[in-house]
Amino acid sequence: MTPRATARLQLHADFPLDAARAQIDYFAALGISHLYLSPVTQARPGSNHGYDVLDPTCVSPELGGHAALQRLAEAARARRMGLILDIVPNHMAADARNPWWRDVLRHGRGSAYAAFFDIDWSVYSGKVLLPILGQPYEDALRAGEIRLGKQDGVPVVLAGGQALPVSGMPDPLELVRYTSAPDSPESFAFLDALLQQQHYELAYWRRAAAELNWRRFFEVTELVGLRVEDPTVFKAVHALPLSLYKQGMVDGLRIDHVDGLAEPGAYLRQLRDAMREAVFDREPYIVVEKILAPQEAVDQRWPVEGTSGYDFMDDVGALLHNPAACRPLQAQWQQYGGDSTRLKRQLQDIRAHLLSHNLVSERRTLMRAWNRLTSLSSADEADWDRVIGAWLAAFPVYRSYAEDGGASTSDHSYWDEAARGARALLPESDRPKLAQFLSWLATPPAPDGRSALKRLQQVTPALAAKSLEDTLWYRHGALLSRNEVGAWPQRFALGAGGFHARNRWRARHQPLTMLATATHDHKRGEDARARLAVITEVPQYWHAAADTFLALLPENAYTQADRYMLLQTLVGAWPAHWASDDIDNIDSQELDEWLTRVRAWQRKALREAKQHTTWTDPDNEYEAAAQACIDILDPESGDPDALRALARLATSLIAPGHINSLAQTLLRNTTPGVPDLYQGTELWDYSMVDPDNRRPVDYGLRRALLTTGSLAEPSPRHWQTGAVKQALIHRALQLRAADPAIFRGPYRPLCAVGPRAAHVVAFLRGSGRHVALAVAPRLCAWQIAGYARGDAQAARHFWEGTSLRLPHLPGMVWHDLLAERGLSLGPDGHIELADLLENWPVALCATSEAISAISHPSRA
């Protein structure tokens, strides 16, 4: 069954598979066709995401095991729904509880699983470096951080919170002596000698960045890379999802971090072939997690339906930002001390720093692979390291895909662009080597050249993600709503024409790609971004209000630039039901919980930025100064004027933010693709970065709101609770279910006529007499905020004199699904927007033929 609309659920011990099954009726009533599940395989105990896989061959017992997954699948099928699984072919947990990894630690290169992991056996005498100690090895040994113990009656090494296997049985007599006096010099010597015999080398955790001899996920040393390009590894990793697909328990797969694989294209072809072989009479549904630059598209050689939706999230976000505000907001950012260097150069500098500090082991492993191409002197090695480092710093996208079919035109284009950037960073004397490097890329010498190229193409994604998503977006604060996964520095805004062009491309090439506006990885919730986008409509108002608030914060080491980013986070995350004129009556516990969440965001943001404090070397004084600027908002100990000033500013943006939110929601559910609903975001989503965006969801509230009465004329209460957003999703998904062919049909942009034409994004879906109309406002949320404040009459005056022309065939009748009424068109098919947008700021309409399968519109 092909997905029509998905709902992403984050599974963990507190929300297992049976908990998901308990919500099936709700999702069915909402209009969801498929539950899109986070990884269900066995992960580390207590994992709240599932990507730290211990055993990919079984369903996690913490989630309820195979039986619970089967119950969920059966419940879904009973409601004509299905399941999509998120699978993790790129990495596993580097944990002794991982049976494959444990076997490698026990047997080294002789392990049956040695080839499963991307390990460089040429260093450390063929041992696996394990940087899990809290201090250098000698100190850890003497401090008792490393001990010998037993697990299931078998000796193990206890270190770094793990029980590591012991290769070769210790001498029984020495073992007795050790047990009787574990802290004696003789016992230390015995344990040290035993550890020297192992196939792993225990090390201080700080050695990981520069000395690790196995590929990890980004710079996360707890996750080890898999060699899924090996057929044996592929078969082992995919045995479970292929079995579930064959049994009909799942309908499709989402591939996590496809760019981390050695050969993504070959992998995807192999996966599709395996799924076709498992079930011959239906076409597999496969989407990939892929970050695309604005000028980039999914490699057309890949046999996939599309991406998991970051590209759409960026498109619709950019659409709601006024390009005219880019310069004044950048000027304001610089006024507050923000870096004035061009973002492209900042990104290159961050990349260079990461290659020299955070990703040194990856760089060294890459250089070892390239050095095998020829015999190099130590001086030559240093030159090549400099040349390739500069090229990596300038590489413009996540990766290239030169595989068995060779490099594409796009691959060559990106290689050349990186070379142009590298030339600006290198001395003239290095240019011949850069030219030689490009030649090797284009025609890699066999076989070492191909191996080196694969290694290179696995390094660039980690470098891209860590430099942009996990560093620059925590440093650059001109407007945080544009600092999101999938967004790129070179695009602040997107016009309606560009948005339509992107949608037409999806309709032609990837009509089943996912459309997301929130994910488990987003930096801030979809409605927080929509609210902050309003700032681009009123930059002068925002500038003055920001000055007023920032002047109330305590003077200390916390920089003005970081304070400005904090302010944007506070405004974006401000709960919709907190009114500025009732600030003294906010529930104290609720306020305390909110401030605690903001503190957690602040700590993560500052450490990811790596400017004043880091995860590895935290600056407690700076972090304390930063927290003081949040503590001032606590009524118990802070300054009430600061909280009141924040409340005035935040609440002034709530109503216009809601307008943007509904526009974003309508577009996600009506443009070409499969709309994906991230858990809980059918109501307002003001979450911050993980783990805040993975908090529990109140499904009882959502079920209750779904069964309330008509929202043809929404009241302020409906706006406050988010019922308007849920109602819009419900109506759009009802229409998708009633007439799916409409949303597989053409996408036809409409041009409005009149003084407000530039503020309308409108289009038709479908053909013939089965047609739907979507109309969303753009760059006018501040002016039409009356819709969300209970004054729709004043808001709709904005649209006077502006109209749309709809198809008008004999007998064709149009219905407004939100206002629950028929439409009256002029003789030539014109309709005034002031009439169409009478009580809602958006419109979703369809012809009577399109909604014939829907009974009288209702919310049940």
Side-chain angles (χ1 to χ4, degrees), residues 62-247:
E62 276 198 351
L63 302 182
H66 188 277
L69 181 60
Q70 187 165 5
R71 288 192 294 271
L72 176 60
E74 290 172 352
R77 283 286 180 264
R79 292 156 183 81
R80 302 182 68 184
M81 295 171 64
L83 304 179
I84 294 174
L85 289 189
D86 188 349
I87 65 170
V88 193
N90 177 66
H91 55 265
M92 298 178 73
D95 189 304
R97 290 167 292 191
N98 174 343
W100 298 351
W101 184 242
R102 185 179 185 84
D103 197 79
V104 171
L105 298 182
R106 181 185 296 279
H107 300 291
R109 297 186 75 166
S111 168
Y113 300 98
F116 276 46
F117 302 102
D118 207 343
I119 302 169
D120 185 350
W121 297 100
S122 67
V123 294
Y124 306 126
S125 302
K127 293 188 174 187
V128 175
L129 187 72
L130 284 189
I132 60 176
L133 302 178
Q135 53 188 316
Y137 172 77
E138 298 283 349
D139 297 333
L141 191 65
R142 289 182 172 80
E145 188 179 325
I146 309 170
R147 289 189 173 271
L148 198 59
K150 283 191 175 183
Q151 186 179 69
D152 300 325
V154 177
V156 292
V157 172
L158 304 174
Q162 298 190 45
L164 305 168
V166 175
S167 179
M169 291 299 293
D171 180 271
L173 183 59
E174 292 293 335
L175 190 55
V176 170
R177 290 175 180 169
Y178 171 85
T179 304
S180 62
D183 296 326
S184 68
E186 293 79 9
S187 292
F188 291 147
F190 162 72
L191 183 54
D192 179 54
L194 182 66
L195 289 170
Q196 301 311 312
Q197 300 171 24
Q198 303 310 306
H199 295 284
Y200 52 85
E201 179 179 328
L202 290 175
Y204 188 22
W205 66 267
R206 287 186 180 274
R207 290 180 59 186
E211 302 178 40
L212 204 65
N213 67 327
W214 40 272
R215 183 172 59 87
R216 54 186 173 167
F217 172 73
F218 293 175
E219 59 175 333
V220 183
T221 310
E222 290 76 22
L223 299 175
V224 57
L226 279 166
R227 296 185 62 254
V228 77
E229 65 272 22
D230 184 310
T232 302
V233 183
F234 179 93
K235 183 177 180 180
V237 170
H238 295 85
L240 177 63
L242 288 174
S243 173
L244 296 173
Y245 182 69
K246 185 173 185 177
Q247 295 172 54

Side-chain angles (χ1 to χ4, degrees), residues 406-430:
S408 68
T409 302
S410 294
D411 293 331
H412 284 286
S413 174
Y414 298 138
W415 290 346
D416 291 343
E417 185 176 344
R420 289 193 295 272
R423 289 189 192 100
L425 303 174
L426 293 169
E428 185 76 24
S429 58
D430 280 337

